[in-house]
Amino acid sequence: MASVSPSQALLLAMILFALGLAGVLARRNLVFLLMSIEIMLNAAGLAFVVAGSRWHQPDGQILFILVLTLAASEVAVGLALILRIHQRNASLDADAAAKLKG
Amino acid sequence: MPPILWLIPGLPLFGFVALYLSAGRMPHRAAAAIGVGSIGLATLLAFAFAHWFLGASLPGDVYLETAWRWITIGGFDPAVAFRLDPLSLVMMLVVTFVGFLIHLYSAEFMAKDEGYGRFFAYMNLFVAAMLTLVLADNLLVLYAGWEGVGLASYLLIGFWYRDPANGAAARKAFILTRIGDTAFIIGLFLLFHELGTLDIATLMARAHETWATGSAVANAAAALLLAGALGKSAQLPLQTWLPDAMAGPTPVSALLHAATMVTAGVYLIARTHELFELAPAVELTVAVIGAATLLLAACSALNQHDIKRILAYSTMSQIGYMFLALGVGAWTAAIFHFMTHAFFKALLFLAAGAVMMRLNDEHDIFRMGGLWRRMPVAFVSFLIGASSLAALPLVTAGFYSKDMILWGVWSSGPAGPGLWATGFVGAFITALYSFRAVFVMFFGDARRTPSGRYGWCIVAPLAVLSALALTGGFVNIPSALGNVNSFSDLLAPVLPARQEVTTASTTQALVMAATSLLVLLGVYLAYLTYIQRAQVLRRIATSSPARALAGFWFGGWGFDTLYEHIFVRPFLALARLNRNDIVDACYGGLVVASRTLNRALSRTVTGRVRAYAAWVAVGSLAALAIALFLQ
């Protein structure tokens, strides 16, 4: 099984993170915003796994499980919020929710 | 005696509390009864104590009474204790008795004043504080009385508070004496730090054990106490408050000058004289300041028109004599002069007040004139007072005490004759200005018609004080004239005589004769100038240098102007500069800065999630960049 060098894997993580960030900054649809955040979380998880395999430690994979749990709960809360916002504003535009500011 | 010495300052204090709490709602008769009665009872008690004390022959001639322990902190446990020894006995008797006579006089003098109750309340407080001061066994209690005297004098000088000038005079007195008080309390800290106690007797004993004569610490401690005394006793350079203190009612001036307040400094130095003996340099300073003040004030008294200001400057001058005596170690002479001065100065003020009240509160002596026929009681009292002030030979009390001072100064050592010469010249000027006042006020053409008449409350104190101003000096008569020493013998346990320089008593008699002649000459000169109106003297007096000098002396040697320029103006300028409170502006700036920052940051709260995310990204990038660069 051909192994992937850590630097290549980290490059992939970086690209994924940048894509996610670009999505967060550029998209106005809340659902896409949430998905972009998921991509960023996965990029971070990938970086942990790569680091774990580089030093032959299980910590990286353990942390990935933690990130997964975090992502799941985040999606649960995020989707509930999106539903409420959609009911209120009749749109999924993130900027339309600017009235939530203090 | 039962242990009721505390009642002597206590009774006037109760009087003060009762009168003050009544807040002016008490009828005049009741206020007078409490105000005069409390001092009267204290006087009776003081005489009872004196009778018992002189018969009891206590060990060490000291009676101590501890009321309670004030505080106990570490090794510091001052007791509120009262001490009766010959020195405090004399002071206590003079303060209560003269104070009582002045209170009695005020009962009639102030009858028409709306602040009658308030007046007696403050007067009682004044006497109570002074009695605490003289009876204190402990410098801390003495200091409490000292401050009480300062407070009461402030309240009384500014008694007619509706006139802003009176308030200014009161503040001036308070602030100038406060300068001295601050030095005094620093002196107390120093003494406690070095010797570990403030109990006067222990303190003096330890000072003798610990410090060598002339050591730096002893000098510093004595100098600080001296500064306190200078403020209270209106001596150079803190003397300018006293002439302005005449803003108060006349009985206040009588009390302030005769019994309380200005003599506190004399008492303090006499009480701590053992400390001053350890500091010969400071002692000499006391004498020099006394000599300078007595001359300076006498010259100023020569030029005043206001009768109360003449008397104020004369007090300053007489206290100068007492300081001169203290400075050369003639402690007994200083206390003797304090006593006779209390009699004749109270008499002079009360007589002047009696004249003024019947001339519609006229202060200017040149608008009086020819009064001797119209108000004989005031005339005779004032004449006796002035004679005693001028130290007219043989018949007046002032003669014996001033002679004792001058002889003490003469025989005090190398600096003696020089200091004596100033006292000698001062005696001449004193005679001149006292009889100037007498001749101008009571002789010549009548210019005003007096109204009203005196009740017994005014006549009785004048009569008693006149008798004392004449005979009060017979308790101590120099050897050349009969050698009576009851007063010095009484004070000997507290104020031992310095080793007498044994000069033949003919010298003493000669010195005395010279002074007497000079005094008579002064009186004659006053007679020539103000009754005969001799042409030569007129011409000298109206020449331009004499006028310039007179103007200079009239203003008290320009000290007020000097202080105005050196201290008051710069201080006011600083205050004006700091009108907006520079320190406060720093805190104000802090408020403005945080408010501006808050407003700027508030703009970033837009509610747009994507903008927040962008800020987070930029911030993380910046943090990463910084971490990379700083690696």
Side-chain angles (χ1 to χ4, degrees):
Chain A
M1 194 171 131
S3 66
V4 188
S5 75
S7 60
Q8 283 168 327
L10 276 180
L11 193 69
L12 177 63
M14 216 173 80
I15 292 169
L16 277 175
F17 190 86
L19 278 174
L21 183 63
V24 168
L25 295 182
R27 301 305 292 243
R28 299 176 73 168
N29 191 314
L30 279 169
V31 179
F32 281 96
L33 223 61
L34 208 59
M35 284 165 67
S36 303
I37 291 171
E38 287 302 312
I39 291 170
M40 284 163 73
L41 280 171
N42 279 321
L46 179 59
F48 276 124
V49 172
V50 169
S53 79
R54 162 72 179 75
W55 281 293
H56 304 292
Q57 297 274 338
D59 301 14
Q61 294 177 32
I62 292 170
L63 267 167
F64 181 65
I65 291 168
L66 199 71
V67 169
L68 269 184
T69 331
L70 185 87
S73 42
E74 185 242 325
V75 165
V77 175
L79 280 176
L81 279 172
I82 288 170
L83 272 177
R84 285 294 300 144
I85 290 172
H86 183 65
Q87 278 171 8
R88 246 184 120 75
N89 294 350
S91 92
L92 282 175
D93 188 351
D95 290 353
K99 268 182 279 175
L100 279 174
K101 76 166 180 175
Chain B
M1 281 301 272
I4 49 170
L5 186 61
W6 63 272
L7 270 178
I8 293 177
L11 282 169
L13 191 66
F14 293 146
F16 160 70
V17 172
L19 286 165
Y20 196 74
L21 290 183
S22 78
R25 278 193 288 275
M26 203 178 266
H28 277 200
R29 289 183 78 86
I34 294 181
V36 182
S38 65
I39 308 282
L41 282 178
T43 311
L44 285 180
L45 199 58
F47 274 100
F49 258 100
H51 179 74
W52 165 78
F53 183 81
L54 294 176
S57 70
L58 298 156
D61 266 322
V62 174
Y63 167 71
L64 273 179
E65 190 179 300
T66 307
W68 71 87
R69 201 148 282 286
W70 192 337
I71 35 174
T72 310
I73 299 175
F76 183 55
D77 52 347
V80 176
F82 298 107
R83 174 195 185 86
L84 193 65
D85 62 8
L87 176 59
S88 51
L89 180 76
V90 170
M91 296 294 292
M92 174 182 84
L93 286 179
V94 172
V95 171
T96 50
F97 187 60
V98 174
F100 168 67
L101 291 176
I102 294 169
H103 275 73
L104 187 62
Y105 175 94
S106 318
E108 186 177 330
F109 187 85
M110 298 296 288
K112 289 184 189 117
D113 201 285
E114 53 182 315
Y116 198 70
R118 189 165 59 94
F119 178 79
F120 276 109
Y122 294 162
M123 291 284 270
N124 276 6
L125 177 65
F126 210 171
V127 174
M130 188 67 187
L131 286 169
T132 313
L133 196 162
V134 299
L135 289 173
D137 177 44
N138 177 305
L139 281 179
L140 201 66
V141 180
L142 190 150
Y143 187 76
W146 186 270
E147 292 295 5
V149 166
L151 168 69
S153 70
Y154 167 78
L155 293 171
L156 283 166
I157 293 167
F159 180 71
W160 288 315
Y161 56 87
R162 293 209 176 120
D163 184 355
N166 295 344
R171 281 200 300 278
K172 187 174 178 185
F174 195 73
I175 292 167
L176 269 165
T177 51
R178 183 122 291 273
I179 296 171
D181 295 351
T182 309
F184 184 20
I185 191 113
I186 295 172
L188 293 195
F189 292 150
L190 180 67
L191 284 173
F192 182 75
H193 182 256
E194 293 294 321
L195 301 175
T197 180
L198 286 178
D199 179 71
I200 296 173
T202 327
L203 193 70
M204 293 302 134
R206 281 196 202 164
H208 264 280
E209 288 162 15
T210 320
W211 294 333
T213 305
S215 70
V217 194
N219 272 327
L224 286 167
L225 292 195
L226 170 64
L230 291 181
K232 270 282 183 290
S233 290
Q235 298 291 297
L236 219 59
L238 297 175
Q239 86 285 28
T240 56
W241 64 271
L242 193 59
D244 289 354
M246 295 299 104
T250 310
V252 172
S253 311
L255 192 61
L256 194 147
H257 287 243
T260 56
M261 188 84 178
V262 291
T263 47
V266 178
Y267 173 74
L268 176 69
I269 296 182
R271 179 48 88 198
T272 56
H273 68 275
E274 280 142 308
L275 178 64
F276 280 84
E277 276 174 338
L278 291 176
V282 179
E283 224 184 347
L284 185 67
T285 317
V286 176
V288 171
I289 287 176
T293 313
L294 83 87
L295 265 191
L296 187 138
C299 291
S300 288
L302 206 49
N303 281 290
Q304 306 298 319
H305 304 305
D306 183 334
I307 176 64
K308 287 179 79 180
R309 284 183 90 88
I310 297 179
L311 295 178
Y313 277 113
S314 84
T315 300
M316 218 191 266
S317 171
Q318 297 305 305
I319 305 272
Y321 272 106
M322 295 177 210
F323 268 67
L324 179 59
L326 292 171
V328 299
W331 322 108
T332 315
I335 298 301
F336 189 29
H337 196 57
F338 152 74
M339 185 179 83
T340 60
H341 174 258
F343 297 149
F344 66 69
K345 190 47 62 67
L347 175 62
L348 280 168
F349 266 113
L350 297 188
V355 171
M356 290 186 307
M357 74 183 274
R358 288 181 62 184
L359 291 180
N360 200 11
D361 207 29
E362 178 60 67
H363 281 213
D364 191 337
I365 55 169
F366 288 98
R367 290 200 212 138
M368 298 176 182
L371 293 174
W372 71 275
R373 235 180 246 285
R374 290 159 192 261
M375 33 176 96
V377 174
F379 167 60
V380 171
S381 325
F382 197 89
L383 181 66
I384 290 172
S387 312
S388 203
L389 169 61
L392 227 53
L394 303 179
V395 291
T396 60
F399 168 71
Y400 294 101
S401 56
K402 202 175 277 181
D403 175 68
M404 191 166 166
I405 288 181
L406 287 176
W407 176 242
V409 175
W410 172 273
S411 57
S412 70
L419 291 168
W420 174 82
T422 54
F424 188 65
V425 175
F428 174 71
I429 306 177
T430 308
L432 193 58
Y433 72 69
S434 357
F435 277 85
R436 167 180 176 265
V438 172
F439 292 147
V440 172
M441 280 169 77
F442 293 101
F443 293 90
D445 306 325
R447 291 183 189 82
R448 298 283 290 262
T449 323
S451 58
R453 48 188 302 117
Y454 301 128
W456 71 272
C457 284
I458 285 192
V459 176
L462 287 178
V464 175
L465 285 171
S466 299
L468 285 171
L470 288 178
T471 59
F474 293 138
V475 290
N476 220 53
I477 297 176
S479 55
L481 292 175
N483 204 10
V484 178
N485 285 322
S486 353
F487 195 78
S488 0
D489 290 346
L490 171 67
L491 285 181
V494 198
L495 305 173
R498 279 235 172 131
Q499 284 175 331
E500 277 294 319
V501 184
T502 46
T503 321
S505 93
T506 43
T507 323
Q508 192 179 0
L510 274 178
V511 169
M512 188 161 56
T515 322
S516 310
L517 264 180
L518 198 70
V519 166
L520 291 174
L521 197 68
V523 177
Y524 182 64
L525 190 63
Y527 171 77
L528 277 186
T529 321
Y530 295 101
I531 302 255
Q532 294 285 322
R533 298 175 185 279
Q535 283 305 311
V536 191
L537 294 170
R538 289 268 121 187
R539 219 167 295 139
I540 295 173
T542 49
S543 64
S544 60
R547 273 162 176 268
L549 196 61
F552 181 57
W553 286 350
F554 179 77
W557 298 62
F559 272 96
D560 272 329
T561 327
L562 186 71
Y563 291 165
E564 176 81 24
H565 279 98
I566 297 183
F567 300 112
V568 179
R569 293 241 179 112
F571 183 77
L572 286 181
L574 267 179
R576 215 165 289 131
L577 203 69
N578 197 18
R579 176 166 278 169
N580 297 326
D581 200 345
I582 292 168
V583 177
D584 193 49
C586 294
Y587 297 105
L590 214 61
V591 171
V592 170
S594 53
R595 197 172 282 164
T596 321
L597 210 62
N598 167 267
R599 219 166 281 142
L601 287 178
S602 293
R603 289 236 177 97
T604 62
V605 183
T606 53
R608 292 165 192 230
V609 183
R610 295 180 310 131
Y612 296 167
W615 279 115
V616 172
V618 170
S620 315
L621 271 179
L624 272 177
I626 289 172
L628 276 177
F629 277 115
L630 290 185
Q631 217 169 24

